[in-house]
Amino acid sequence: MRRPHSHNYFMKAVSLMPGGVNSPVRAFKAVGDDPIVVTRAKGDRLYDADGNRYIDYCMSWGPMILGHGNIKVLNAIRKAVRGGTSFGTLCPYEVRLAELIAHAYRSIELVRMVSSGTEATMSAVRVARAYTKRDRIVKFEGGYHGHSDQFLIKAGSGLATLGTPSSPGVPEAFASLTLTLPYNDPDTLQRLISERWREIAAVIVEPVAGNMGVVPPVPGFLETLRESTARHGIVLIFDEVITGLRLSLSGAQGVFRISPDMTTLGKIIGGGMPVGAYGGKKEIMDMVSPEGAVYQAGTLSGNPVAMAAGIATIKEINSGPEFYKDLEKKTSHLVSGLKDAARLTGKAITINSIGSMFTPFFTDGAVCDLASAMRSDTKLYAGFFRRMFEKGVYMPPSQFEAHFMSIAHSAHDIDRTIKYAYEALREL
Ligand SMILES: *Cc1c(COP(=O)(O)O)cnc(C)c1O
């Protein structure tokens, strides 16, 4: 596949932007290639600056559950744009989207719209700290909650060691307020909480981890989390920026039937436009300004065009009774095809999947936390990625990312993906 135009754009981009991109993983550093430069996308396909076609399993990192350029969403955006692009006032679209969210998420009594997942999580933590009058938070190794300082924390070693910054620019003092625990380890969690609950404002968790590759919770993990936080007055925050509207209309909390105190949303609720949201119990959300004293604001929050895209997306999801079943069927067909391809070519691959998200880990052991995910052969994944990319399949350019299926993925393209995966694995 030739990509001279893409290459030229990237060279120019590198001279103008850090690493040539506006978000790091787009640069393909982990797979050692020039990044894809996309000019257009439709359905399950991306088209690059050289006119090459790719079947897309990245789907803008999650938001495009209806596929790219869904006509209903585009029409809703067009209609909204005709009325103006930003008012800086309350507008009916915000009320409608808030209503749809409250309807889908019983745990969300009040919601605040923001413009990204990062804003949602950092705001939720501020509110939780104010509510509990405690300062520390707990997150899990391999969990990603956007790029605000308090979340860019490496695990210390052993139980309840203080976090250390995983990025320069994050003060040690901030990092020390974040405690890090292994994912899927209810015993360690329980021990930490029973020892240190007086200091802990919130536990934030991806109820299905998606940012170390896909790692579903083991039975008992979320239940223990819910029970022990409730017992000690700790705010449980489900970061459903990926899983919200992905695993079901009511996210992972709907699937696992666990009700967090607060929820953060993003990605799909913006229908491909920049939107985030956080919400939860009225008693907690009443702390938020101007009702309460916790300050949080946004010039473009509740933007009418972005709200319209989110509303149209939810409407489309609701329009057929089998939306999530269809998505899951497509995904399990692809996953079982990939498993067969791995078996036939003698490659050690463990595929984690749930709903319409999955990750093929290049390891033969079970992957249930960051440590086991890290046992994957990232070099082999990079080789697999590059071969698939050359054949016209765009998977996430890192071993530790979720692959996403959309409702627009055709049986034909899924079958081609399986065939290419078999060829790619045989070549490796
Ligand atoms: C993507 C993501 C975020 C951050 O959202 P942005 O819109 O990229 O700021 C937060 N939490 C999770 C779980 C995510 O996957």
Side-chain angles (χ1 to χ4, degrees), residues 309-370:
I311 295 164
T313 299
I314 295 175
K315 244 193 226 161
E316 270 297 274
I317 291 173
N318 277 332
S319 68
E322 305 285 334
F323 182 87
Y324 288 101
K325 236 184 228 156
D326 288 350
L327 256 186
E328 198 163 335
K329 239 186 262 164
K330 288 175 194 286
T331 312
S332 58
H333 180 64
L334 176 56
V335 166
S336 71
L338 294 177
K339 281 182 179 163
D340 287 345
R343 189 170 39 76
L344 289 169
T345 55
K347 295 291 187 295
I349 296 180
T350 296
I351 305 183
N352 282 0
S353 82
I354 176 167
S356 56
M357 49 198 282
F358 66 97
T359 299
F361 292 97
F362 281 69
T363 171
D364 51 9
V367 176
C368 58
D369 56 13
L370 184 63

Short mmCIF file of all heavy atoms in Angstrom, two decimals, residues 309-370:
data_model
loop_
_atom_site.label_atom_id
_atom_site.label_comp_id
_atom_site.label_asym_id
_atom_site.label_seq_id
_atom_site.Cartn_x
_atom_site.Cartn_y
_atom_site.Cartn_z
N ALA A 309 -25.95 15.54 18.36
CA ALA A 309 -25.31 14.30 17.89
C ALA A 309 -25.52 13.18 18.91
O ALA A 309 -25.79 12.03 18.53
CB ALA A 309 -23.82 14.54 17.65
N GLY A 310 -25.40 13.51 20.19
CA GLY A 310 -25.61 12.51 21.24
C GLY A 310 -27.05 12.01 21.27
O GLY A 310 -27.30 10.81 21.38
N ILE A 311 -27.97 12.95 21.17
CA ILE A 311 -29.39 12.59 21.18
C ILE A 311 -29.72 11.66 20.00
O ILE A 311 -30.37 10.62 20.16
CB ILE A 311 -30.28 13.86 21.10
CG1 ILE A 311 -30.09 14.70 22.36
CG2 ILE A 311 -31.75 13.50 20.90
CD1 ILE A 311 -30.60 16.15 22.23
N ALA A 312 -29.22 12.02 18.81
CA ALA A 312 -29.49 11.21 17.61
C ALA A 312 -28.89 9.81 17.76
O ALA A 312 -29.48 8.82 17.33
CB ALA A 312 -28.94 11.91 16.37
N THR A 313 -27.72 9.74 18.38
CA THR A 313 -27.07 8.43 18.57
C THR A 313 -27.91 7.55 19.48
O THR A 313 -28.15 6.37 19.17
CB THR A 313 -25.66 8.63 19.16
OG1 THR A 313 -24.88 9.39 18.23
CG2 THR A 313 -24.97 7.30 19.42
N ILE A 314 -28.37 8.11 20.58
CA ILE A 314 -29.19 7.31 21.51
C ILE A 314 -30.50 6.89 20.84
O ILE A 314 -30.95 5.75 20.99
CB ILE A 314 -29.45 8.09 22.82
CG1 ILE A 314 -28.12 8.29 23.55
CG2 ILE A 314 -30.46 7.36 23.71
CD1 ILE A 314 -28.21 9.15 24.80
N LYS A 315 -31.08 7.80 20.07
CA LYS A 315 -32.32 7.47 19.35
C LYS A 315 -32.10 6.29 18.40
O LYS A 315 -32.91 5.37 18.33
CB LYS A 315 -32.76 8.69 18.52
CG LYS A 315 -34.10 9.26 18.95
CD LYS A 315 -34.61 10.24 17.90
CE LYS A 315 -35.10 11.51 18.55
NZ LYS A 315 -35.19 12.65 17.62
N GLU A 316 -30.98 6.31 17.69
CA GLU A 316 -30.67 5.22 16.76
C GLU A 316 -30.48 3.90 17.51
O GLU A 316 -30.94 2.85 17.07
CB GLU A 316 -29.39 5.54 15.98
CG GLU A 316 -29.62 6.28 14.69
CD GLU A 316 -30.43 5.47 13.69
OE1 GLU A 316 -29.85 4.68 12.95
OE2 GLU A 316 -31.68 5.66 13.67
N ILE A 317 -29.78 3.95 18.62
CA ILE A 317 -29.58 2.73 19.42
C ILE A 317 -30.93 2.17 19.85
O ILE A 317 -31.16 0.97 19.82
CB ILE A 317 -28.70 3.03 20.66
CG1 ILE A 317 -27.26 3.33 20.22
CG2 ILE A 317 -28.74 1.88 21.67
CD1 ILE A 317 -26.35 3.80 21.35
N ASN A 318 -31.83 3.07 20.23
CA ASN A 318 -33.15 2.67 20.72
C ASN A 318 -34.11 2.25 19.62
O ASN A 318 -35.17 1.69 19.92
CB ASN A 318 -33.79 3.82 21.51
CG ASN A 318 -33.28 3.84 22.94
OD1 ASN A 318 -32.90 2.82 23.48
ND2 ASN A 318 -33.23 5.04 23.52
N SER A 319 -33.74 2.51 18.37
CA SER A 319 -34.73 2.33 17.30
C SER A 319 -34.98 0.86 16.96
O SER A 319 -36.03 0.50 16.45
CB SER A 319 -34.31 3.10 16.04
OG SER A 319 -33.16 2.51 15.49
N GLY A 320 -34.01 -0.01 17.24
CA GLY A 320 -34.24 -1.44 17.02
C GLY A 320 -34.16 -2.16 18.36
O GLY A 320 -33.40 -1.74 19.22
N PRO A 321 -34.90 -3.24 18.54
CA PRO A 321 -34.88 -3.93 19.83
C PRO A 321 -33.60 -4.73 20.04
O PRO A 321 -33.23 -5.06 21.16
CB PRO A 321 -36.09 -4.86 19.74
CG PRO A 321 -36.30 -5.08 18.28
CD PRO A 321 -35.84 -3.83 17.59
N GLU A 322 -32.91 -5.05 18.94
CA GLU A 322 -31.81 -6.00 19.03
C GLU A 322 -30.45 -5.36 18.88
O GLU A 322 -29.47 -6.02 18.56
CB GLU A 322 -31.97 -7.07 17.93
CG GLU A 322 -33.31 -7.80 17.94
CD GLU A 322 -33.38 -8.81 19.06
OE1 GLU A 322 -32.33 -9.30 19.47
OE2 GLU A 322 -34.51 -9.09 19.53
N PHE A 323 -30.37 -4.05 19.07
CA PHE A 323 -29.13 -3.34 18.77
C PHE A 323 -27.91 -4.01 19.41
O PHE A 323 -26.93 -4.35 18.74
CB PHE A 323 -29.23 -1.87 19.19
CG PHE A 323 -28.02 -1.05 18.86
CD1 PHE A 323 -27.89 -0.45 17.62
CD2 PHE A 323 -26.99 -0.90 19.78
CE1 PHE A 323 -26.77 0.29 17.30
CE2 PHE A 323 -25.85 -0.16 19.47
CZ PHE A 323 -25.75 0.44 18.23
N TYR A 324 -27.96 -4.18 20.73
CA TYR A 324 -26.78 -4.70 21.42
C TYR A 324 -26.55 -6.19 21.13
O TYR A 324 -25.42 -6.65 21.09
CB TYR A 324 -26.88 -4.43 22.93
CG TYR A 324 -26.68 -2.96 23.23
CD1 TYR A 324 -27.75 -2.11 23.48
CD2 TYR A 324 -25.40 -2.40 23.19
CE1 TYR A 324 -27.56 -0.75 23.71
CE2 TYR A 324 -25.20 -1.04 23.42
CZ TYR A 324 -26.28 -0.22 23.68
OH TYR A 324 -26.08 1.11 23.89
N LYS A 325 -27.64 -6.92 20.88
CA LYS A 325 -27.49 -8.32 20.52
C LYS A 325 -26.79 -8.45 19.17
O LYS A 325 -25.91 -9.28 18.98
CB LYS A 325 -28.88 -8.99 20.48
CG LYS A 325 -28.95 -10.19 21.39
CD LYS A 325 -30.29 -10.89 21.27
CE LYS A 325 -30.83 -11.14 22.66
NZ LYS A 325 -32.29 -11.27 22.70
N ASP A 326 -27.21 -7.61 18.21
CA ASP A 326 -26.59 -7.63 16.88
C ASP A 326 -25.10 -7.29 16.97
O ASP A 326 -24.26 -7.94 16.33
CB ASP A 326 -27.28 -6.61 15.95
CG ASP A 326 -28.67 -7.06 15.54
OD1 ASP A 326 -29.01 -8.24 15.81
OD2 ASP A 326 -29.42 -6.24 14.96
N LEU A 327 -24.79 -6.27 17.75
CA LEU A 327 -23.39 -5.87 17.92
C LEU A 327 -22.57 -7.02 18.49
O LEU A 327 -21.46 -7.29 18.04
CB LEU A 327 -23.32 -4.72 18.92
CG LEU A 327 -23.09 -3.30 18.44
CD1 LEU A 327 -22.93 -2.40 19.66
CD2 LEU A 327 -21.88 -3.19 17.54
N GLU A 328 -23.15 -7.67 19.50
CA GLU A 328 -22.44 -8.75 20.17
C GLU A 328 -22.25 -9.94 19.24
O GLU A 328 -21.21 -10.60 19.26
CB GLU A 328 -23.24 -9.15 21.42
CG GLU A 328 -22.42 -9.93 22.41
CD GLU A 328 -23.07 -9.98 23.80
OE1 GLU A 328 -23.86 -9.05 24.12
OE2 GLU A 328 -22.79 -10.92 24.52
N LYS A 329 -23.25 -10.18 18.40
CA LYS A 329 -23.16 -11.29 17.44
C LYS A 329 -22.01 -11.05 16.47
O LYS A 329 -21.21 -11.95 16.18
CB LYS A 329 -24.48 -11.43 16.67
CG LYS A 329 -25.13 -12.80 16.85
CD LYS A 329 -26.37 -12.95 15.97
CE LYS A 329 -27.65 -12.67 16.74
NZ LYS A 329 -28.81 -12.42 15.88
N LYS A 330 -21.95 -9.84 15.95
CA LYS A 330 -20.85 -9.49 15.02
C LYS A 330 -19.51 -9.70 15.73
O LYS A 330 -18.56 -10.23 15.15
CB LYS A 330 -20.94 -8.01 14.62
CG LYS A 330 -22.09 -7.65 13.68
CD LYS A 330 -22.12 -6.13 13.47
CE LYS A 330 -23.40 -5.64 12.83
NZ LYS A 330 -23.51 -5.94 11.39
N THR A 331 -19.43 -9.24 16.98
CA THR A 331 -18.17 -9.31 17.71
C THR A 331 -17.77 -10.75 17.98
O THR A 331 -16.62 -11.13 17.78
CB THR A 331 -18.27 -8.53 19.05
OG1 THR A 331 -18.85 -7.25 18.79
CG2 THR A 331 -16.91 -8.36 19.68
N SER A 332 -18.74 -11.57 18.41
CA SER A 332 -18.35 -12.94 18.74
C SER A 332 -17.99 -13.73 17.49
O SER A 332 -17.13 -14.62 17.54
CB SER A 332 -19.41 -13.65 19.58
OG SER A 332 -20.62 -13.67 18.91
N HIS A 333 -18.60 -13.37 16.35
CA HIS A 333 -18.20 -14.00 15.08
C HIS A 333 -16.74 -13.67 14.76
O HIS A 333 -15.94 -14.56 14.44
CB HIS A 333 -19.12 -13.52 13.96
CG HIS A 333 -18.79 -14.10 12.62
ND1 HIS A 333 -18.90 -15.45 12.35
CD2 HIS A 333 -18.32 -13.53 11.49
CE1 HIS A 333 -18.52 -15.69 11.11
NE2 HIS A 333 -18.17 -14.54 10.56
N LEU A 334 -16.38 -12.40 14.90
CA LEU A 334 -15.00 -12.00 14.62
C LEU A 334 -14.04 -12.63 15.62
O LEU A 334 -13.00 -13.18 15.24
CB LEU A 334 -14.86 -10.47 14.66
CG LEU A 334 -13.46 -9.91 14.49
CD1 LEU A 334 -12.82 -10.38 13.18
CD2 LEU A 334 -13.46 -8.38 14.54
N VAL A 335 -14.40 -12.59 16.90
CA VAL A 335 -13.51 -13.11 17.93
C VAL A 335 -13.28 -14.61 17.74
O VAL A 335 -12.15 -15.09 17.83
CB VAL A 335 -14.07 -12.80 19.34
CG1 VAL A 335 -13.36 -13.63 20.41
CG2 VAL A 335 -13.92 -11.31 19.64
N SER A 336 -14.34 -15.35 17.41
CA SER A 336 -14.12 -16.80 17.24
C SER A 336 -13.30 -17.07 15.98
O SER A 336 -12.49 -17.99 15.95
CB SER A 336 -15.43 -17.59 17.30
OG SER A 336 -16.19 -17.35 16.14
N GLY A 337 -13.48 -16.22 14.96
CA GLY A 337 -12.64 -16.33 13.76
C GLY A 337 -11.17 -16.06 14.07
O GLY A 337 -10.28 -16.77 13.58
N LEU A 338 -10.93 -15.07 14.89
CA LEU A 338 -9.54 -14.74 15.26
C LEU A 338 -8.94 -15.86 16.11
O LEU A 338 -7.76 -16.21 15.96
CB LEU A 338 -9.49 -13.42 16.03
CG LEU A 338 -9.87 -12.15 15.24
CD1 LEU A 338 -9.84 -10.92 16.16
CD2 LEU A 338 -8.97 -11.93 14.04
N LYS A 339 -9.77 -16.44 16.99
CA LYS A 339 -9.28 -17.56 17.82
C LYS A 339 -8.88 -18.74 16.94
O LYS A 339 -7.84 -19.37 17.15
CB LYS A 339 -10.35 -17.98 18.82
CG LYS A 339 -10.42 -17.07 20.04
CD LYS A 339 -11.47 -17.54 21.04
CE LYS A 339 -11.48 -16.60 22.25
NZ LYS A 339 -12.69 -16.74 23.06
N ASP A 340 -9.73 -19.05 15.95
CA ASP A 340 -9.42 -20.13 15.01
C ASP A 340 -8.12 -19.85 14.27
O ASP A 340 -7.27 -20.72 14.11
CB ASP A 340 -10.55 -20.30 13.98
CG ASP A 340 -11.79 -20.93 14.60
OD1 ASP A 340 -11.68 -21.49 15.71
OD2 ASP A 340 -12.87 -20.85 13.97
N ALA A 341 -7.99 -18.60 13.81
CA ALA A 341 -6.79 -18.21 13.06
C ALA A 341 -5.54 -18.40 13.93
O ALA A 341 -4.51 -18.89 13.45
CB ALA A 341 -6.90 -16.77 12.59
N ALA A 342 -5.65 -18.04 15.21
CA ALA A 342 -4.51 -18.19 16.12
C ALA A 342 -4.18 -19.67 16.32
O ALA A 342 -3.01 -20.07 16.30
CB ALA A 342 -4.82 -17.53 17.46
N ARG A 343 -5.23 -20.48 16.47
CA ARG A 343 -5.02 -21.92 16.70
C ARG A 343 -4.40 -22.57 15.47
O ARG A 343 -3.42 -23.31 15.58
CB ARG A 343 -6.37 -22.57 17.05
CG ARG A 343 -6.29 -24.00 17.52
CD ARG A 343 -7.63 -24.50 18.08
NE ARG A 343 -8.79 -24.01 17.32
CZ ARG A 343 -9.18 -24.48 16.14
NH1 ARG A 343 -8.53 -25.48 15.57
NH2 ARG A 343 -10.24 -23.97 15.53
N LEU A 344 -4.94 -22.25 14.29
CA LEU A 344 -4.45 -22.87 13.05
C LEU A 344 -3.00 -22.47 12.74
O LEU A 344 -2.28 -23.20 12.06
CB LEU A 344 -5.35 -22.47 11.87
CG LEU A 344 -6.75 -23.09 11.88
CD1 LEU A 344 -7.65 -22.44 10.83
CD2 LEU A 344 -6.66 -24.60 11.65
N THR A 345 -2.59 -21.30 13.21
CA THR A 345 -1.24 -20.84 12.92
C THR A 345 -0.30 -21.04 14.10
O THR A 345 0.87 -20.65 14.06
CB THR A 345 -1.24 -19.33 12.55
OG1 THR A 345 -1.87 -18.60 13.62
CG2 THR A 345 -1.99 -19.07 11.26
N GLY A 346 -0.82 -21.66 15.17
CA GLY A 346 0.00 -21.99 16.33
C GLY A 346 0.50 -20.76 17.10
O GLY A 346 1.58 -20.79 17.68
N LYS A 347 -0.27 -19.69 17.10
CA LYS A 347 0.14 -18.49 17.84
C LYS A 347 -0.56 -18.45 19.20
O LYS A 347 -1.75 -18.75 19.31
CB LYS A 347 -0.23 -17.22 17.06
CG LYS A 347 0.52 -17.07 15.74
CD LYS A 347 2.00 -16.80 15.98
CE LYS A 347 2.75 -16.48 14.71
NZ LYS A 347 2.80 -17.61 13.74
N ALA A 348 0.20 -18.08 20.22
CA ALA A 348 -0.35 -17.97 21.57
C ALA A 348 -1.08 -16.64 21.72
O ALA A 348 -0.45 -15.60 21.85
CB ALA A 348 0.77 -18.08 22.60
N ILE A 349 -2.39 -16.70 21.62
CA ILE A 349 -3.19 -15.48 21.74
C ILE A 349 -4.36 -15.72 22.69
O ILE A 349 -5.06 -16.73 22.58
CB ILE A 349 -3.73 -15.03 20.36
CG1 ILE A 349 -2.56 -14.66 19.44
CG2 ILE A 349 -4.67 -13.83 20.51
CD1 ILE A 349 -2.96 -14.19 18.06
N THR A 350 -4.53 -14.80 23.63
CA THR A 350 -5.70 -14.82 24.53
C THR A 350 -6.59 -13.66 24.15
O THR A 350 -6.14 -12.51 24.16
CB THR A 350 -5.25 -14.66 25.99
OG1 THR A 350 -4.44 -15.78 26.33
CG2 THR A 350 -6.45 -14.58 26.93
N ILE A 351 -7.83 -13.95 23.77
CA ILE A 351 -8.72 -12.85 23.39
C ILE A 351 -9.74 -12.60 24.49
O ILE A 351 -10.54 -13.48 24.82
CB ILE A 351 -9.44 -13.14 22.06
CG1 ILE A 351 -8.41 -13.46 20.96
CG2 ILE A 351 -10.29 -11.92 21.64
CD1 ILE A 351 -8.99 -13.69 19.58
N ASN A 352 -9.68 -11.41 25.08
CA ASN A 352 -10.71 -10.99 26.03
C ASN A 352 -11.78 -10.24 25.26
O ASN A 352 -11.47 -9.37 24.45
CB ASN A 352 -10.13 -10.04 27.08
CG ASN A 352 -9.34 -10.77 28.16
OD1 ASN A 352 -9.22 -11.99 28.12
ND2 ASN A 352 -8.80 -10.03 29.10
N SER A 353 -13.04 -10.57 25.52
CA SER A 353 -14.10 -9.80 24.86
C SER A 353 -15.33 -9.76 25.72
O SER A 353 -15.62 -10.67 26.52
CB SER A 353 -14.41 -10.38 23.48
OG SER A 353 -15.28 -11.48 23.58
N ILE A 354 -16.05 -8.66 25.58
CA ILE A 354 -17.34 -8.50 26.25
C ILE A 354 -18.14 -7.50 25.43
O ILE A 354 -17.61 -6.46 25.03
CB ILE A 354 -17.17 -8.04 27.72
CG1 ILE A 354 -18.54 -7.77 28.37
CG2 ILE A 354 -16.26 -6.84 27.85
CD1 ILE A 354 -18.48 -7.62 29.88
N GLY A 355 -19.39 -7.87 25.14
CA GLY A 355 -20.21 -6.99 24.31
C GLY A 355 -19.52 -6.74 22.98
O GLY A 355 -19.16 -7.68 22.27
N SER A 356 -19.31 -5.49 22.64
CA SER A 356 -18.70 -5.15 21.35
C SER A 356 -17.29 -4.62 21.50
O SER A 356 -16.81 -3.87 20.68
CB SER A 356 -19.57 -4.13 20.64
OG SER A 356 -19.76 -2.99 21.46
N MET A 357 -16.62 -4.99 22.60
CA MET A 357 -15.21 -4.63 22.75
C MET A 357 -14.35 -5.86 22.99
O MET A 357 -14.78 -6.81 23.64
CB MET A 357 -15.02 -3.56 23.85
CG MET A 357 -15.70 -3.82 25.17
SD MET A 357 -15.89 -2.31 26.21
CE MET A 357 -14.23 -2.16 26.88
N PHE A 358 -13.16 -5.87 22.43
CA PHE A 358 -12.28 -7.03 22.60
C PHE A 358 -10.82 -6.64 22.40
O PHE A 358 -10.53 -5.59 21.81
CB PHE A 358 -12.65 -8.15 21.60
CG PHE A 358 -12.42 -7.78 20.15
CD1 PHE A 358 -11.26 -8.17 19.48
CD2 PHE A 358 -13.36 -7.05 19.45
CE1 PHE A 358 -11.05 -7.84 18.14
CE2 PHE A 358 -13.16 -6.70 18.11
CZ PHE A 358 -12.00 -7.10 17.46
N THR A 359 -9.93 -7.47 22.93
CA THR A 359 -8.49 -7.31 22.68
C THR A 359 -7.84 -8.66 22.52
O THR A 359 -7.99 -9.52 23.39
CB THR A 359 -7.79 -6.57 23.86
OG1 THR A 359 -8.36 -5.27 24.02
CG2 THR A 359 -6.30 -6.43 23.60
N PRO A 360 -7.15 -8.89 21.41
CA PRO A 360 -6.31 -10.08 21.30
C PRO A 360 -4.95 -9.80 21.96
O PRO A 360 -4.20 -8.96 21.49
CB PRO A 360 -6.15 -10.28 19.79
CG PRO A 360 -6.62 -9.02 19.14
CD PRO A 360 -7.13 -8.08 20.18
N PHE A 361 -4.70 -10.47 23.08
CA PHE A 361 -3.41 -10.33 23.75
C PHE A 361 -2.48 -11.43 23.24
O PHE A 361 -2.86 -12.60 23.23
CB PHE A 361 -3.57 -10.49 25.27
CG PHE A 361 -4.33 -9.37 25.94
CD1 PHE A 361 -5.69 -9.50 26.20
CD2 PHE A 361 -3.69 -8.19 26.31
CE1 PHE A 361 -6.40 -8.48 26.84
CE2 PHE A 361 -4.39 -7.17 26.95
CZ PHE A 361 -5.74 -7.30 27.21
N PHE A 362 -1.28 -11.05 22.86
CA PHE A 362 -0.33 -12.03 22.35
C PHE A 362 0.40 -12.72 23.51
O PHE A 362 1.59 -12.53 23.74
CB PHE A 362 0.63 -11.39 21.35
CG PHE A 362 0.01 -11.21 20.00
CD1 PHE A 362 -1.01 -10.30 19.80
CD2 PHE A 362 0.42 -12.00 18.91
CE1 PHE A 362 -1.62 -10.15 18.57
CE2 PHE A 362 -0.18 -11.86 17.66
CZ PHE A 362 -1.20 -10.94 17.49
N THR A 363 -0.38 -13.52 24.24
CA THR A 363 0.15 -14.30 25.36
C THR A 363 -0.76 -15.51 25.52
O THR A 363 -1.93 -15.46 25.11
CB THR A 363 0.15 -13.49 26.67
OG1 THR A 363 0.47 -14.35 27.77
CG2 THR A 363 -1.22 -12.86 26.96
N ASP A 364 -0.24 -16.61 26.12
CA ASP A 364 -1.13 -17.76 26.28
C ASP A 364 -1.79 -17.80 27.65
O ASP A 364 -2.69 -18.58 27.89
CB ASP A 364 -0.41 -19.08 25.97
CG ASP A 364 0.90 -19.21 26.71
OD1 ASP A 364 1.16 -18.35 27.59
OD2 ASP A 364 1.66 -20.14 26.41
N GLY A 365 -1.36 -16.90 28.56
CA GLY A 365 -1.96 -16.89 29.89
C GLY A 365 -3.22 -16.05 29.93
O GLY A 365 -3.44 -15.22 29.05
N ALA A 366 -4.05 -16.26 30.96
CA ALA A 366 -5.24 -15.43 31.14
C ALA A 366 -4.81 -14.01 31.44
O ALA A 366 -3.78 -13.77 32.07
CB ALA A 366 -6.07 -15.98 32.30
N VAL A 367 -5.57 -13.04 30.96
CA VAL A 367 -5.28 -11.63 31.23
C VAL A 367 -6.39 -11.06 32.11
O VAL A 367 -7.53 -10.92 31.67
CB VAL A 367 -5.16 -10.82 29.93
CG1 VAL A 367 -4.96 -9.35 30.24
CG2 VAL A 367 -4.01 -11.34 29.06
N CYS A 368 -6.03 -10.78 33.37
CA CYS A 368 -7.05 -10.30 34.32
C CYS A 368 -6.64 -9.02 35.03
O CYS A 368 -7.39 -8.48 35.83
CB CYS A 368 -7.39 -11.39 35.32
SG CYS A 368 -5.94 -11.93 36.22
N ASP A 369 -5.43 -8.54 34.76
CA ASP A 369 -4.97 -7.29 35.37
C ASP A 369 -3.80 -6.75 34.55
O ASP A 369 -3.43 -7.34 33.52
CB ASP A 369 -4.57 -7.51 36.83
CG ASP A 369 -3.51 -8.60 36.99
OD1 ASP A 369 -2.91 -9.01 35.97
OD2 ASP A 369 -3.28 -9.05 38.11
N LEU A 370 -3.21 -5.65 35.03
CA LEU A 370 -2.14 -5.04 34.25
C LEU A 370 -0.93 -5.96 34.14
O LEU A 370 -0.33 -6.10 33.07
CB LEU A 370 -1.73 -3.69 34.87
CG LEU A 370 -0.68 -2.91 34.06
CD1 LEU A 370 -1.20 -2.52 32.69
CD2 LEU A 370 -0.21 -1.67 34.83
#
